[in-house]
């Protein structure tokens, strides 16, 4: 039996959403077809808001783990790992941000600076000290 522990539904008109079991296994779904599109293993662990689906231009799932596994991005349709940052630990929240017309992700951490990461390659775009989470108009 599939017990959903995490769910992420983008706000911008996509028919895609992503769910996860307690840890690791992530599933991409379509509201339109009411079918599972893919299922794959990730570095996700339980707690916080450590899973994010960015549906455009092609769907990407970002997952995080609190401990040494860090943060990784995956092609949501194939499950192929696009990048992995083991140096970014203690991540509690993964947020979608738009900065200068570019989609990036923000990593709220229990220790260390809030880190803004390029969604395409995982490189650090900026670090903001003294901040654990940024709330944007992207959030519901």
């Amino acid at each position: 039996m599939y017990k959903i522990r995490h769910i992420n539904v983008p706000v911008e008109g996509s028919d895609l959403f992503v769910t996860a079991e307690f840890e690791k296994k992530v599933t991409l779904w379509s509201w339109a077809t009411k079918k599972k599109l893919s299922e794959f293993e990730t570095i996700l662990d339980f707690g916080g808001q450590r899973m994010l689906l960015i549906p455009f231009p092609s769907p990407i799932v970002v997952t995080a783990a609190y401990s040494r596994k860090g943060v990784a991005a995956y092609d949501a349709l194939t499950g192929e790992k696009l990048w992995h940052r083991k140096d970014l630990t203690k991540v509690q929240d993964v947020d979608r941000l738009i900065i200068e017309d570019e989609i990036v992700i923000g990593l709220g951490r229990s220790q260390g600076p809030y880190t803004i990461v390029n969604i395409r390659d995982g490189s650090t775009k900026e670090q903001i000290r003294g901040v654990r989470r940024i709330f944007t108009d992207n959030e519901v």
Side-chain angles (χ1 to χ4, degrees), residues 37 41 47-48 56-57 59 61 67 81 101 116 121 126 129 136 138 140:
L37 301 177
E41 296 287 319
F56 303 112
V61 172
S67 62
K81 190 182 295 182
D101 296 325
I116 299 174
D121 62 11
E126 184 176 354
R129 303 217 179 272
T136 68
N138 299 328
V140 177

Side-chain angles (χ1 to χ4, degrees), residues 9-17 31-32 55-56 96:
V9 180
V11 294
E12 65 268 302
S14 170
D15 81 321
L16 302 177
F17 69 102
W31 286 113
F56 303 112
R96 174 187 176 270

